[in-house]
Amino acid sequence: MLKNQIDIWIENNKSHLIEDIISLINIKSVKEPYYGKYPFGTGCGKVLDKALAMSEKYGFSTKNHQYYCGTAVLEGKTDKEIGIFTHLDVVPEGNGWEYSPYDAVVEKGYIIGRGSGDNKGPAMAALYAVRCLHELGIELNHSIRIFYGCDEETGMSDVKYYLDHHQAPSFSIVPDCAFSVCNGEKGILQMELAGKISDSNLKNFYGGTVSNMVPDTACAVLSCDDKEQIINMIAEQKTEGIFASCEGECLKITAKGVSGHAAFPEGTINAIQKLAAFLNKYSLVEENDSKVLYFIEDAFHDAYGGGLEIAYSDDISGKLTHVGSVAEMENGELTIKINIRYPITTDQENMIRKIHEVGNRYGVYVKSSDNNPPSYVSADSEAIQAMNDICNDVLNTDYEPYVMGGGTYARKLPRAVGYGPGILNDPSPFGTKRGNGHQPDECVKIRDLTNAIKIYVLALIQLDEILP
């Protein structure tokens, strides 16, 4: 009877769910510099205001935590809490869109727009699940706290701010991955490596936008006397994704790649590595600066650590992945940002030492380093098994808990796991280069969100009984 009631409620509210998601997508909430009262810029501030206004309209008590984040609470019979941690900030739109990133549309059962899948659609699925509990009159012992973050994509300072001022829930769900239960996350090591650039013909080299995206564009600016000859050579070679043009007195060479999330580099093409390899192949940069470019070419020729001699793996979490994500030249240095997702059992000290050693061979040094250790909750716990069973029952699947390379709020919280709403290995309707999180034409299947609402309602009821 309860499942039928949930199904009817979801169907009656599906059109409103879609409208609410679209209203959030249409607010560009890419992190910007601190402005006025907004620590992450006006876009992130506006989208938080919108989400809190929705939550209040649906009967939740809300609080804006100085625009670092916001929370909406459905009060339970006790002061113990179950958390649902979502985020409203998005990565930059990048290039290659056929649809408008901030003017969302519904087409063939999908909502298309930046943030539809990561993480505005899932945030609304969470809100609607708790709203369903409230409107069906289902009272829980635990209060349910929905967290709306504004800095998940670029550092998670939002959740740090919250935890500095408030106690964490006793257990938390993070709807920012795929079903079933993501009970562990690989460690994330972010580094900046730099090499000196002398007064040579390499005037600029840049590419990428944020650390956790495979860069789809990179550019080099060269001073040279034979610009037309090089342009003609590139045209004759017909190297896919390499273009040249004049930029004042200089030559600009652009490489196009295929973007994607740094944690899931399969099917991507790193434009920064591609550009360095092209410049090296045709000796377009003077020899005294080519060592840095050879480092970029060699270090990122694959996405599994081979070029840095850190190709680790384990049975719990699989292979290490690594991406050279952002390159820039300034003050006589070429800096490359690296994003590494390493397995749970990795010897972290040895990994960092090896990166230093490999960089030194090319005259490249480690400029900065930020290590975020792995998180893991046993798959055998009663809560994880119950959540897994509910997921399989609703979706008619036989999933097992899993560990992933993506980084979510779960790693910042005590006893937290990822839980949907995506479907493992479900292909994008646009192929491998578009449609997924962090890609052009990002989209989310409406059916996945409505299934998630049902799963979240049932899981919250079960967790309320299991958790102390």
Side-chain angles (χ1 to χ4, degrees), residues 66-128:
Q66 303 298 315
Y67 284 101
Y68 280 85
C69 57
T71 55
V73 178
L74 178 65
E75 300 289 346
K77 297 176 184 177
T78 71
D79 58 359
K80 296 178 180 179
E81 291 184 352
I82 298 172
I84 308 179
F85 279 71
T86 73
H87 69 90
L88 303 175
D89 61 310
V90 299
V91 297
E93 60 272 20
N95 302 304
W97 287 74
E98 293 186 10
Y99 295 83
S100 174
Y102 306 113
D103 188 11
V105 297
V106 176
E107 191 170 288
K108 297 181 180 178
Y110 290 84
I111 304 172
I112 305 167
R114 177 56 90 216
S116 55
D118 186 16
N119 187 239
K120 295 175 179 179
M124 288 298 97
L127 173 63
Y128 271 64

Short mmCIF file of all heavy atoms in Angstrom, two decimals, residues 66-128:
data_model
loop_
_atom_site.label_atom_id
_atom_site.label_comp_id
_atom_site.label_asym_id
_atom_site.label_seq_id
_atom_site.Cartn_x
_atom_site.Cartn_y
_atom_site.Cartn_z
N GLN A 66 25.16 31.94 5.79
CA GLN A 66 26.04 32.98 5.27
C GLN A 66 26.41 32.75 3.80
O GLN A 66 27.49 33.12 3.35
CB GLN A 66 27.32 33.07 6.11
CG GLN A 66 27.07 33.31 7.59
CD GLN A 66 26.36 34.65 7.85
OE1 GLN A 66 26.72 35.66 7.27
NE2 GLN A 66 25.35 34.63 8.71
N TYR A 67 25.49 32.12 3.05
CA TYR A 67 25.66 31.85 1.62
C TYR A 67 26.80 30.89 1.31
O TYR A 67 27.15 30.68 0.15
CB TYR A 67 25.80 33.14 0.81
CG TYR A 67 24.48 33.84 0.63
CD1 TYR A 67 24.13 34.94 1.42
CD2 TYR A 67 23.55 33.39 -0.30
CE1 TYR A 67 22.91 35.56 1.27
CE2 TYR A 67 22.32 34.01 -0.46
CZ TYR A 67 22.00 35.10 0.32
OH TYR A 67 20.78 35.71 0.17
N TYR A 68 27.38 30.26 2.35
CA TYR A 68 28.27 29.13 2.09
C TYR A 68 27.45 27.91 1.70
O TYR A 68 27.87 27.10 0.87
CB TYR A 68 29.10 28.81 3.33
CG TYR A 68 30.29 29.71 3.52
CD1 TYR A 68 30.16 30.94 4.17
CD2 TYR A 68 31.55 29.33 3.07
CE1 TYR A 68 31.25 31.77 4.35
CE2 TYR A 68 32.65 30.16 3.23
CZ TYR A 68 32.49 31.38 3.86
OH TYR A 68 33.57 32.21 4.03
N CYS A 69 26.29 27.80 2.30
CA CYS A 69 25.39 26.68 2.07
C CYS A 69 24.05 27.04 2.69
O CYS A 69 23.91 28.07 3.35
CB CYS A 69 25.94 25.39 2.70
SG CYS A 69 26.27 25.54 4.48
N GLY A 70 23.09 26.16 2.50
CA GLY A 70 21.79 26.32 3.14
C GLY A 70 21.28 24.96 3.57
O GLY A 70 21.74 23.92 3.06
N THR A 71 20.35 24.94 4.51
CA THR A 71 19.76 23.67 4.95
C THR A 71 18.25 23.81 5.06
O THR A 71 17.72 24.88 5.34
CB THR A 71 20.34 23.20 6.30
OG1 THR A 71 20.17 24.24 7.28
CG2 THR A 71 21.80 22.86 6.18
N ALA A 72 17.59 22.68 4.83
CA ALA A 72 16.14 22.57 4.99
C ALA A 72 15.87 21.33 5.83
O ALA A 72 16.41 20.26 5.55
CB ALA A 72 15.46 22.46 3.63
N VAL A 73 15.04 21.46 6.86
CA VAL A 73 14.86 20.39 7.83
C VAL A 73 13.39 20.00 7.94
O VAL A 73 12.51 20.86 8.06
CB VAL A 73 15.39 20.81 9.23
CG1 VAL A 73 15.14 19.71 10.25
CG2 VAL A 73 16.87 21.14 9.15
N LEU A 74 13.15 18.69 7.89
CA LEU A 74 11.86 18.12 8.27
C LEU A 74 12.03 17.55 9.67
O LEU A 74 12.80 16.61 9.88
CB LEU A 74 11.43 17.02 7.30
CG LEU A 74 10.11 16.31 7.63
CD1 LEU A 74 8.93 17.27 7.55
CD2 LEU A 74 9.90 15.11 6.71
N GLU A 75 11.35 18.16 10.63
CA GLU A 75 11.55 17.80 12.03
C GLU A 75 11.03 16.39 12.32
O GLU A 75 9.93 16.01 11.90
CB GLU A 75 10.84 18.79 12.95
CG GLU A 75 11.33 20.23 12.81
CD GLU A 75 12.72 20.44 13.36
OE1 GLU A 75 13.21 19.54 14.09
OE2 GLU A 75 13.31 21.50 13.08
N GLY A 76 11.85 15.61 13.06
CA GLY A 76 11.43 14.30 13.53
C GLY A 76 11.04 14.34 14.99
O GLY A 76 10.95 15.41 15.60
N LYS A 77 10.84 13.17 15.58
CA LYS A 77 10.43 13.09 16.97
C LYS A 77 11.59 13.32 17.94
O LYS A 77 11.38 13.56 19.12
CB LYS A 77 9.80 11.73 17.25
CG LYS A 77 8.52 11.48 16.45
CD LYS A 77 7.99 10.07 16.70
CE LYS A 77 6.77 9.77 15.84
NZ LYS A 77 6.29 8.38 16.01
N THR A 78 12.84 13.19 17.42
CA THR A 78 14.02 13.40 18.26
C THR A 78 14.93 14.42 17.58
O THR A 78 14.67 14.85 16.45
CB THR A 78 14.80 12.08 18.46
OG1 THR A 78 15.45 11.73 17.22
CG2 THR A 78 13.88 10.95 18.87
N ASP A 79 16.02 14.77 18.26
CA ASP A 79 16.97 15.71 17.66
C ASP A 79 18.08 15.00 16.88
O ASP A 79 19.00 15.64 16.38
CB ASP A 79 17.58 16.61 18.73
CG ASP A 79 18.30 15.82 19.83
OD1 ASP A 79 18.31 14.57 19.77
OD2 ASP A 79 18.86 16.46 20.74
N LYS A 80 18.00 13.69 16.77
CA LYS A 80 18.95 12.95 15.94
C LYS A 80 18.62 13.17 14.46
O LYS A 80 17.44 13.28 14.09
CB LYS A 80 18.92 11.46 16.26
CG LYS A 80 19.36 11.14 17.69
CD LYS A 80 19.26 9.66 17.97
CE LYS A 80 19.70 9.34 19.39
NZ LYS A 80 19.59 7.89 19.71
N GLU A 81 19.67 13.22 13.63
CA GLU A 81 19.45 13.62 12.23
C GLU A 81 20.01 12.59 11.25
O GLU A 81 21.06 11.98 11.48
CB GLU A 81 20.12 14.96 11.94
CG GLU A 81 19.48 16.15 12.61
CD GLU A 81 20.15 17.45 12.19
OE1 GLU A 81 21.19 17.41 11.49
OE2 GLU A 81 19.62 18.51 12.55
N ILE A 82 19.30 12.46 10.14
CA ILE A 82 19.83 11.83 8.93
C ILE A 82 20.02 12.96 7.92
O ILE A 82 19.11 13.76 7.71
CB ILE A 82 18.86 10.77 8.36
CG1 ILE A 82 18.66 9.63 9.36
CG2 ILE A 82 19.39 10.22 7.02
CD1 ILE A 82 17.58 8.64 8.95
N GLY A 83 21.20 13.04 7.34
CA GLY A 83 21.49 14.11 6.40
C GLY A 83 21.37 13.65 4.95
O GLY A 83 21.61 12.49 4.63
N ILE A 84 21.00 14.59 4.09
CA ILE A 84 21.07 14.38 2.63
C ILE A 84 21.85 15.56 2.09
O ILE A 84 21.37 16.71 2.11
CB ILE A 84 19.68 14.30 1.98
CG1 ILE A 84 18.80 13.26 2.68
CG2 ILE A 84 19.82 13.94 0.50
CD1 ILE A 84 17.40 13.15 2.09
N PHE A 85 23.05 15.30 1.59
CA PHE A 85 23.96 16.38 1.20
C PHE A 85 24.00 16.51 -0.31
O PHE A 85 24.45 15.60 -1.02
CB PHE A 85 25.36 16.12 1.77
CG PHE A 85 25.49 16.53 3.21
CD1 PHE A 85 24.85 15.80 4.20
CD2 PHE A 85 26.22 17.65 3.57
CE1 PHE A 85 24.95 16.18 5.54
CE2 PHE A 85 26.31 18.05 4.89
CZ PHE A 85 25.68 17.31 5.89
N THR A 86 23.53 17.67 -0.81
CA THR A 86 23.49 17.97 -2.24
C THR A 86 24.25 19.26 -2.50
O THR A 86 24.60 19.99 -1.57
CB THR A 86 22.05 18.12 -2.72
OG1 THR A 86 21.51 19.38 -2.23
CG2 THR A 86 21.16 16.99 -2.25
N HIS A 87 24.48 19.56 -3.78
CA HIS A 87 25.13 20.84 -4.10
C HIS A 87 24.48 21.49 -5.31
O HIS A 87 23.96 20.82 -6.21
CB HIS A 87 26.64 20.67 -4.29
CG HIS A 87 27.06 19.92 -5.51
ND1 HIS A 87 27.31 20.54 -6.73
CD2 HIS A 87 27.31 18.61 -5.71
CE1 HIS A 87 27.70 19.63 -7.61
NE2 HIS A 87 27.71 18.46 -7.03
N LEU A 88 24.55 22.82 -5.31
CA LEU A 88 23.90 23.62 -6.35
C LEU A 88 24.89 24.34 -7.26
O LEU A 88 24.49 24.94 -8.26
CB LEU A 88 22.96 24.65 -5.71
CG LEU A 88 21.88 24.09 -4.80
CD1 LEU A 88 21.11 25.23 -4.12
CD2 LEU A 88 20.92 23.18 -5.55
N ASP A 89 26.18 24.32 -6.92
CA ASP A 89 27.19 24.89 -7.81
C ASP A 89 27.47 23.92 -8.95
O ASP A 89 27.26 22.70 -8.82
CB ASP A 89 28.47 25.22 -7.05
CG ASP A 89 29.11 23.99 -6.41
OD1 ASP A 89 28.38 23.24 -5.71
OD2 ASP A 89 30.32 23.77 -6.62
N VAL A 90 27.94 24.44 -10.07
CA VAL A 90 28.22 23.63 -11.25
C VAL A 90 29.60 23.99 -11.80
O VAL A 90 30.15 25.05 -11.51
CB VAL A 90 27.16 23.82 -12.36
CG1 VAL A 90 25.79 23.41 -11.86
CG2 VAL A 90 27.13 25.27 -12.86
N VAL A 91 30.15 23.08 -12.61
CA VAL A 91 31.40 23.38 -13.30
C VAL A 91 31.10 24.31 -14.48
O VAL A 91 29.95 24.40 -14.95
CB VAL A 91 32.08 22.10 -13.81
CG1 VAL A 91 32.46 21.20 -12.66
CG2 VAL A 91 31.21 21.35 -14.81
N PRO A 92 32.10 25.03 -14.98
CA PRO A 92 31.88 25.88 -16.16
C PRO A 92 31.33 25.07 -17.33
O PRO A 92 31.58 23.87 -17.45
CB PRO A 92 33.27 26.42 -16.47
CG PRO A 92 34.00 26.36 -15.16
CD PRO A 92 33.48 25.14 -14.47
N GLU A 93 30.58 25.75 -18.20
CA GLU A 93 29.91 25.04 -19.28
C GLU A 93 30.86 24.45 -20.31
O GLU A 93 30.56 23.43 -20.94
CB GLU A 93 28.89 25.95 -19.97
CG GLU A 93 29.46 27.20 -20.59
CD GLU A 93 29.53 28.36 -19.62
OE1 GLU A 93 29.51 28.14 -18.39
OE2 GLU A 93 29.62 29.50 -20.10
N GLY A 94 32.03 25.07 -20.52
CA GLY A 94 32.94 24.55 -21.53
C GLY A 94 32.40 24.76 -22.92
O GLY A 94 31.49 25.56 -23.16
N ASN A 95 32.95 24.01 -23.87
CA ASN A 95 32.59 24.18 -25.28
C ASN A 95 31.83 22.97 -25.81
O ASN A 95 31.77 21.93 -25.16
CB ASN A 95 33.87 24.38 -26.11
CG ASN A 95 34.67 25.58 -25.66
OD1 ASN A 95 34.17 26.69 -25.61
ND2 ASN A 95 35.93 25.35 -25.28
N GLY A 96 31.28 23.11 -26.99
CA GLY A 96 30.69 21.98 -27.71
C GLY A 96 29.22 21.72 -27.46
O GLY A 96 28.70 20.66 -27.83
N TRP A 97 28.52 22.69 -26.87
CA TRP A 97 27.09 22.49 -26.60
C TRP A 97 26.26 22.68 -27.87
O TRP A 97 26.49 23.59 -28.66
CB TRP A 97 26.62 23.50 -25.55
CG TRP A 97 27.07 23.20 -24.16
CD1 TRP A 97 28.34 23.37 -23.66
CD2 TRP A 97 26.28 22.71 -23.08
NE1 TRP A 97 28.38 23.00 -22.34
CE2 TRP A 97 27.14 22.59 -21.96
CE3 TRP A 97 24.94 22.35 -22.96
CZ2 TRP A 97 26.68 22.13 -20.72
CZ3 TRP A 97 24.49 21.91 -21.72
CH2 TRP A 97 25.35 21.79 -20.63
N GLU A 98 25.26 21.81 -28.03
CA GLU A 98 24.24 22.00 -29.06
C GLU A 98 22.99 22.63 -28.46
O GLU A 98 22.19 23.23 -29.17
CB GLU A 98 23.91 20.67 -29.74
CG GLU A 98 25.07 20.12 -30.56
CD GLU A 98 24.69 18.89 -31.36
OE1 GLU A 98 23.47 18.57 -31.43
OE2 GLU A 98 25.60 18.24 -31.90
N TYR A 99 22.81 22.44 -27.16
CA TYR A 99 21.70 23.05 -26.43
C TYR A 99 22.27 24.22 -25.60
O TYR A 99 23.47 24.33 -25.43
CB TYR A 99 21.02 22.04 -25.51
CG TYR A 99 20.35 20.91 -26.23
CD1 TYR A 99 21.08 19.79 -26.65
CD2 TYR A 99 18.99 20.94 -26.51
CE1 TYR A 99 20.47 18.74 -27.32
CE2 TYR A 99 18.37 19.89 -27.18
CZ TYR A 99 19.11 18.80 -27.58
OH TYR A 99 18.50 17.77 -28.25
N SER A 100 21.39 25.05 -25.10
CA SER A 100 21.84 26.14 -24.24
C SER A 100 22.08 25.61 -22.83
O SER A 100 21.19 24.98 -22.24
CB SER A 100 20.79 27.26 -24.20
OG SER A 100 21.16 28.25 -23.26
N PRO A 101 23.27 25.83 -22.25
CA PRO A 101 23.56 25.25 -20.93
C PRO A 101 22.70 25.81 -19.81
O PRO A 101 22.45 25.11 -18.82
CB PRO A 101 25.04 25.58 -20.71
CG PRO A 101 25.34 26.69 -21.64
CD PRO A 101 24.43 26.52 -22.82
N TYR A 102 22.21 27.05 -19.95
CA TYR A 102 21.46 27.68 -18.86
C TYR A 102 20.06 28.09 -19.31
O TYR A 102 19.46 29.02 -18.77
CB TYR A 102 22.23 28.88 -18.31
CG TYR A 102 23.63 28.51 -17.89
CD1 TYR A 102 24.74 29.01 -18.57
CD2 TYR A 102 23.84 27.63 -16.83
CE1 TYR A 102 26.03 28.65 -18.19
CE2 TYR A 102 25.13 27.27 -16.45
CZ TYR A 102 26.22 27.78 -17.14
OH TYR A 102 27.49 27.42 -16.77
N ASP A 103 19.53 27.38 -20.27
CA ASP A 103 18.13 27.53 -20.69
C ASP A 103 17.60 26.13 -20.92
O ASP A 103 17.48 25.66 -22.06
CB ASP A 103 18.05 28.39 -21.96
CG ASP A 103 16.61 28.73 -22.33
OD1 ASP A 103 15.71 28.50 -21.50
OD2 ASP A 103 16.39 29.23 -23.45
N ALA A 104 17.33 25.43 -19.83
CA ALA A 104 17.08 24.00 -19.85
C ALA A 104 15.86 23.64 -20.69
O ALA A 104 14.88 24.40 -20.75
CB ALA A 104 16.91 23.48 -18.43
N VAL A 105 15.92 22.49 -21.31
CA VAL A 105 14.80 21.96 -22.10
C VAL A 105 14.53 20.52 -21.68
O VAL A 105 15.41 19.84 -21.14
CB VAL A 105 15.09 22.02 -23.62
CG1 VAL A 105 15.27 23.45 -24.08
CG2 VAL A 105 16.30 21.18 -23.99
N VAL A 106 13.33 20.07 -21.96
CA VAL A 106 12.94 18.67 -21.77
C VAL A 106 12.76 18.05 -23.14
O VAL A 106 12.02 18.57 -23.98
CB VAL A 106 11.64 18.56 -20.95
CG1 VAL A 106 11.21 17.10 -20.83
CG2 VAL A 106 11.81 19.18 -19.58
N GLU A 107 13.46 16.96 -23.37
CA GLU A 107 13.41 16.31 -24.68
C GLU A 107 13.58 14.81 -24.52
O GLU A 107 14.55 14.34 -23.92
CB GLU A 107 14.52 16.88 -25.57
CG GLU A 107 14.41 16.48 -27.03
CD GLU A 107 15.38 17.24 -27.91
OE1 GLU A 107 15.16 18.45 -28.12
OE2 GLU A 107 16.36 16.63 -28.37
N LYS A 108 12.60 14.06 -25.04
CA LYS A 108 12.65 12.60 -25.06
C LYS A 108 12.94 12.00 -23.68
O LYS A 108 13.72 11.06 -23.53
CB LYS A 108 13.69 12.12 -26.07
CG LYS A 108 13.36 12.52 -27.50
CD LYS A 108 14.40 12.02 -28.48
CE LYS A 108 14.05 12.43 -29.91
NZ LYS A 108 15.07 11.98 -30.89
N GLY A 109 12.31 12.56 -22.66
CA GLY A 109 12.42 12.01 -21.32
C GLY A 109 13.63 12.47 -20.54
O GLY A 109 13.90 11.95 -19.45
N TYR A 110 14.37 13.47 -21.07
CA TYR A 110 15.55 13.99 -20.40
C TYR A 110 15.40 15.49 -20.16
O TYR A 110 14.78 16.20 -20.95
CB TYR A 110 16.81 13.78 -21.25
CG TYR A 110 17.26 12.36 -21.37
CD1 TYR A 110 16.70 11.51 -22.33
CD2 TYR A 110 18.24 11.84 -20.53
CE1 TYR A 110 17.12 10.19 -22.45
CE2 TYR A 110 18.67 10.52 -20.65
CZ TYR A 110 18.11 9.70 -21.61
OH TYR A 110 18.53 8.40 -21.73
N ILE A 111 15.99 15.96 -19.05
CA ILE A 111 16.18 17.39 -18.83
C ILE A 111 17.62 17.70 -19.22
O ILE A 111 18.55 17.06 -18.72
CB ILE A 111 15.93 17.78 -17.37
CG1 ILE A 111 14.54 17.35 -16.91
CG2 ILE A 111 16.10 19.29 -17.19
CD1 ILE A 111 14.29 17.53 -15.42
N ILE A 112 17.82 18.69 -20.10
CA ILE A 112 19.14 18.99 -20.64
C ILE A 112 19.56 20.38 -20.18
O ILE A 112 18.84 21.35 -20.38
CB ILE A 112 19.13 18.92 -22.18
CG1 ILE A 112 18.61 17.57 -22.66
CG2 ILE A 112 20.55 19.17 -22.73
CD1 ILE A 112 18.29 17.52 -24.14
N GLY A 113 20.73 20.47 -19.57
CA GLY A 113 21.27 21.75 -19.10
C GLY A 113 22.36 21.50 -18.08
O GLY A 113 22.43 20.43 -17.46
N ARG A 114 23.24 22.49 -17.92
CA ARG A 114 24.35 22.33 -16.97
C ARG A 114 23.82 22.20 -15.54
O ARG A 114 23.05 23.03 -15.07
CB ARG A 114 25.31 23.51 -17.07
CG ARG A 114 26.46 23.49 -16.10
CD ARG A 114 27.31 22.20 -16.19
NE ARG A 114 28.40 22.29 -17.13
CZ ARG A 114 28.80 21.28 -17.87
NH1 ARG A 114 28.19 20.11 -17.81
NH2 ARG A 114 29.83 21.43 -18.71
N GLY A 115 24.23 21.13 -14.89
CA GLY A 115 23.79 20.86 -13.53
C GLY A 115 22.58 19.95 -13.43
O GLY A 115 22.17 19.58 -12.33
N SER A 116 22.01 19.56 -14.58
CA SER A 116 20.83 18.70 -14.54
C SER A 116 21.11 17.40 -13.79
O SER A 116 20.30 16.94 -12.98
CB SER A 116 20.33 18.41 -15.96
OG SER A 116 21.37 17.86 -16.76
N GLY A 117 22.28 16.81 -14.07
CA GLY A 117 22.65 15.58 -13.39
C GLY A 117 23.58 15.79 -12.22
O GLY A 117 23.62 14.98 -11.29
N ASP A 118 24.35 16.88 -12.26
CA ASP A 118 25.39 17.13 -11.25
C ASP A 118 25.31 18.58 -10.79
O ASP A 118 26.03 19.42 -11.30
CB ASP A 118 26.76 16.81 -11.85
CG ASP A 118 27.89 16.91 -10.85
OD1 ASP A 118 27.62 16.93 -9.63
OD2 ASP A 118 29.06 16.97 -11.28
N ASN A 119 24.41 18.90 -9.88
CA ASN A 119 23.72 18.03 -8.95
C ASN A 119 22.33 18.58 -8.63
O ASN A 119 21.73 18.25 -7.63
CB ASN A 119 24.59 17.88 -7.70
CG ASN A 119 24.12 16.87 -6.68
OD1 ASN A 119 23.88 17.27 -5.56
ND2 ASN A 119 23.98 15.63 -7.02
N LYS A 120 21.83 19.45 -9.55
CA LYS A 120 20.55 20.12 -9.27
C LYS A 120 19.37 19.17 -9.40
O LYS A 120 18.43 19.23 -8.58
CB LYS A 120 20.40 21.34 -10.17
CG LYS A 120 21.44 22.43 -9.90
CD LYS A 120 21.36 23.59 -10.87
CE LYS A 120 22.40 24.66 -10.53
NZ LYS A 120 22.38 25.81 -11.45
N GLY A 121 19.39 18.29 -10.40
CA GLY A 121 18.34 17.30 -10.51
C GLY A 121 18.28 16.39 -9.30
O GLY A 121 17.22 16.21 -8.68
N PRO A 122 19.41 15.80 -8.91
CA PRO A 122 19.42 14.98 -7.70
C PRO A 122 19.04 15.74 -6.43
O PRO A 122 18.39 15.19 -5.53
CB PRO A 122 20.87 14.49 -7.63
CG PRO A 122 21.30 14.44 -9.07
CD PRO A 122 20.64 15.63 -9.70
N ALA A 123 19.42 17.01 -6.33
CA ALA A 123 19.05 17.80 -5.16
C ALA A 123 17.53 17.92 -5.04
O ALA A 123 16.95 17.80 -3.95
CB ALA A 123 19.68 19.20 -5.23
N MET A 124 16.88 18.11 -6.17
CA MET A 124 15.43 18.21 -6.15
C MET A 124 14.77 16.85 -5.92
O MET A 124 13.71 16.76 -5.29
CB MET A 124 14.92 18.83 -7.45
CG MET A 124 15.21 20.32 -7.57
SD MET A 124 14.41 21.34 -6.28
CE MET A 124 15.74 21.50 -5.08
N ALA A 125 15.39 15.77 -6.40
CA ALA A 125 14.87 14.43 -6.10
C ALA A 125 14.90 14.19 -4.59
O ALA A 125 13.96 13.62 -4.02
CB ALA A 125 15.68 13.37 -6.83
N ALA A 126 15.98 14.65 -3.94
CA ALA A 126 16.07 14.51 -2.49
C ALA A 126 14.99 15.34 -1.79
O ALA A 126 14.32 14.86 -0.87
CB ALA A 126 17.46 14.95 -2.02
N LEU A 127 14.83 16.59 -2.23
CA LEU A 127 13.82 17.45 -1.63
C LEU A 127 12.43 16.84 -1.79
O LEU A 127 11.63 16.80 -0.84
CB LEU A 127 13.86 18.84 -2.27
CG LEU A 127 12.75 19.81 -1.86
CD1 LEU A 127 12.81 20.12 -0.37
CD2 LEU A 127 12.81 21.09 -2.68
N TYR A 128 12.14 16.33 -2.98
CA TYR A 128 10.81 15.76 -3.23
C TYR A 128 10.60 14.47 -2.45
O TYR A 128 9.46 14.15 -2.07
CB TYR A 128 10.60 15.56 -4.73
CG TYR A 128 10.00 16.78 -5.40
CD1 TYR A 128 10.68 17.98 -5.45
CD2 TYR A 128 8.72 16.74 -5.95
CE1 TYR A 128 10.13 19.11 -6.05
CE2 TYR A 128 8.14 17.85 -6.55
CZ TYR A 128 8.85 19.04 -6.59
OH TYR A 128 8.29 20.14 -7.18
#
